[in-house]
Amino acid sequence: MSEVLERLTARVRACRICVDQPVGRPLPHEPRPVLRPSSSARILLASQAPGTKVHVSGMPFTDASGDRLRSWLGVSSEEFYDTEKFAIVPMGFCFPGQDAKGGDLPPRRECAPAWRTQLIALMPQIDLVLTIGGYAQAWHMGTTRAASLTDTVRNWRAVWDAPVTPKVLPLPHPSWRNSGWLKKNPWFEMDLLPFLRSEIRYRIG
Ligand code: SF4
């Protein structure tokens, strides 16, 4: 990692915005930012926010969502956690807590405006952004994002062909909560995933 990115990452790891200057209710626990920026990876996983398991492990995607995401990408755990290959920068770095029904809250809205643009500016080698879920799509996709997540992902070929750098591919969140969505949209596994895997392999060898 470049020195300047290392310094910025250290500032992120010490961040207390959501406790000391929250927008609305404060984070219900001590901050524990989970991210893996990289100065050399070509692929950015623009994900959502840590869940309970990741909050404990301190490593992104150490849960069932991670297993599914790795299978979508066609990569081993070793490849996935190699920062020469993948940068992992979620929309919110700390576990946001849960709602009354036990569902994870959305990514903290303080996080991306505070950190995202400066972090990504220090990763100019990124040439493929995987926007995982609606929050990342809202931030990264501009007018190539459709009104719904399903339409955004269904439109992936047009998104891919858009004259933007880096290239973008939209994905649903790999959570078990989206198992029904995967069943209803078989084109995702039949058409998008083979294309995704070949683009990943092309970049990581
Ligand atoms: S979620 Fe982001 S902005 Fe909030 S405390 Fe964690 S690192 Fe800071």
Side-chain angles (χ1 to χ4, degrees), residues 9 12 18 26-27 29-31 37 49 56 60 66-67 70 85 93 104 107 116 127 132 135 162 173 190 197 200 204:
T9 304
V12 172
C18 294
L27 199 66
H29 47 74
E30 282 298 293
V56 172
D67 293 339
R70 285 180 282 278
K85 295 180 166 54
F93 299 145
D104 288 356
R116 196 159 192 83
D127 70 356
I132 302 170
Y135 296 100
H173 195 278
M190 279 187 309
R197 286 179 190 135
I200 297 292
I204 69 172

Side-chain angles (χ1 to χ4, degrees), residues 18 23-25 106-114:
C18 294
V23 177
R25 295 171 71 171
R108 291 296 301 202
R109 58 188 149 147
E110 298 89 335
C111 201

Side-chain angles (χ1 to χ4, degrees), residues 128-199:
L128 171 59
V129 178
L130 303 181
T131 53
I132 302 170
Y135 296 100
Q137 287 158 14
W139 181 274
H140 284 279
M141 292 183 62
T143 55
T144 60
R145 181 183 180 225
S148 69
L149 181 137
T150 301
D151 287 344
T152 301
V153 180
R154 198 197 309 274
N155 206 27
W156 66 271
R157 283 186 192 278
V159 171
W160 182 261
D161 289 338
V164 295
T165 307
K167 288 283 188 191
V168 174
L169 267 179
L171 302 175
H173 195 278
S175 158
W176 62 269
R177 288 173 192 271
N178 282 333
S179 297
W181 186 95
L182 294 172
K183 274 202 189 121
K184 265 195 247 161
N185 296 284
W187 50 266
F188 174 75
E189 292 189 334
M190 279 187 309
D191 301 335
L192 195 160
L193 287 191
F195 181 85
L196 170 66
R197 286 179 190 135
S198 77
E199 289 297 327

Side-chain angles (χ1 to χ4, degrees), residues 11-19 27 31-35 91-95 107-112 114-115:
R11 285 175 53 212
V12 172
R13 294 199 195 288
C15 176
R16 298 185 52 81
I17 292 174
C18 294
V19 173
L27 199 66
R32 188 177 198 196
V34 179
L35 68 160
M91 295 307 298
F93 299 145
C94 297
F95 171 51
R108 291 296 301 202
R109 58 188 149 147
E110 298 89 335
C111 201
W115 299 113

